[in-house]
Amino acid sequence: MLTPPRTVVRREAGLYALERALQRRGFRHVAGADEAGRGACAGPLVAAAAVLPEGRRGEIEGLADSKLLTPASRERVYAEVVDRALAYAVVVIPADEVDARGLHVCNLAAMRRALASLTTRPEYVLTDGFGVDGLGVPGLAVWKGDRVAACVAAASVLAKVTRDRLMVELDGVYPAYGFAEHKGYITPEHSAALREHGPCREHRFSYVNVAAVSGRDGRPPRARRPGGHGSDEPMERSWASGGTVGVALGEQPRPPTPVGEDVAMEGGVR
């Protein structure tokens, strides 16, 4: 049996080269998945998946890693992705779920849920950084995938814009923290507000800086949120007709993760 020739995709070949190479090999529908909010200490974790059409229609002007785009550019690219994508899906994991199940577990579960929710079944999956198992189709984890593959960049924009909109909404509920500006990431202003006001129910108590100001430093975090605005039910939001938006609940919770699992802020423009 002859082995098919090896496909080499060079980084300098452009954002669409990897998908085009896979399509030439017979994988017509290539899905990308990415998340936003992994490094934030407040607000939800948001994952998205997208399948772009083949050919010129799938080429979106200005598409890039969401962290490299200005807010205005992200909004414009977001609208183009929603308009052109064969399928897209967004999943929102609230802060208390991140505390209860652990950041990495929630990250993989959210990407898996987003990919499973696509109305066009992907034939190949590209993910940013982390491999996602249990998809039933071949896939590849791509380092800096949102800068290498167009479908991953599209998912990155969907996740980032959705999460930023949610954080602006939360700013109206908890104005003392400045969520609309820093989007829940660790900045000097956010840290000062945490010290002055303590955490709200949308903060992640499994993060070391939140645990420290909550009086839980050095003790395992709890999934129970503090009292305050609204009920104790997890936060849910709906966005953008044409896609699938959900909250990844209903799976068996796992023991809380150690304090300070991830406090690194995502780079680039917020």
Side-chain angles (χ1 to χ4, degrees):
M1 179 181 295
L2 295 177
T3 302
R6 181 184 179 193
T7 299
V8 177
V9 180
R10 302 189 183 281
R11 184 179 293 269
E12 61 269 20
L15 194 63
Y16 297 88
L18 182 52
E19 281 161 88
R20 298 293 183 261
L22 288 167
Q23 288 161 354
R24 288 195 299 271
R25 287 303 187 93
F27 300 104
R28 290 187 58 202
H29 298 147
V30 181
D34 199 6
E35 52 72 31
R38 182 179 175 88
C41 68
L45 177 72
V46 178
V51 178
L52 296 176
E54 298 177 80
R56 294 292 296 275
R57 180 163 176 76
E59 297 180 6
I60 298 172
E61 183 180 355
L63 179 62
D65 172 10
S66 65
K67 296 184 290 296
L68 301 179
L69 299 174
T70 65
S73 295
R74 279 198 299 266
E75 289 285 348
R76 181 188 60 77
V77 172
Y78 174 94
E80 286 288 312
V81 171
V82 168
D83 179 59
R84 297 192 187 197
L86 293 178
Y88 72 94
V90 180
V91 169
V92 180
I93 305 283
D96 58 349
E97 190 79 357
V98 174
D99 282 341
R101 302 184 66 212
L103 177 65
H104 188 61
V105 169
C106 285
N107 190 34
L108 296 182
M111 288 198 289
R112 189 179 295 113
R113 178 76 63 89
L115 288 161
S117 299
L118 292 170
T119 55
T120 297
R121 178 174 172 78
E123 298 167 357
Y124 201 98
V125 170
L126 300 173
T127 53
D128 183 34
F130 301 100
V132 180
D133 58 8
L135 299 177
V137 295
L140 178 67
V142 183
W143 177 248
K144 296 293 185 182
D146 43 13
R147 303 185 188 187
V148 175
C151 57
V152 179
S156 171
V157 170
L158 290 172
K160 176 66 174 170
V161 170
T162 299
R163 188 178 187 279
D164 284 357
R165 291 175 178 179
L166 290 171
M167 295 309 296
V168 170
E169 284 192 7
L170 286 179
D171 186 70
V173 180
Y174 303 101
Y177 299 97
F179 288 149
E181 295 299 322
H182 53 68
K183 306 302 189 294
Y185 289 96
I186 305 167
T187 64
E189 295 76 15
H190 191 184
S191 296
L194 268 172
R195 289 192 297 269
E196 181 177 357
H197 303 288
C200 72
R201 68 187 297 270
E202 300 299 339
H203 280 95
R204 301 177 188 175
F205 284 76
S206 54
Y207 280 45
V208 65
N209 63 319
V210 178
V213 298
S214 70
R216 303 179 187 189
D217 196 16
R219 291 186 289 155
R222 299 291 182 265
R224 179 171 173 264
R225 319 309 296 164
H229 178 87
S231 69
D232 289 333
E233 294 300 313
M235 178 183 66
E236 299 190 24
R237 297 290 188 273
S238 295
W239 291 101
S241 61
T244 301
V245 180
V247 179
L249 303 173
E251 298 183 24
Q252 188 63 33
R254 299 192 180 188
T257 53
V259 171
E261 179 178 354
D262 181 1
V263 295
M265 188 174 82
E266 290 178 353
V269 180
R270 290 191 304 274

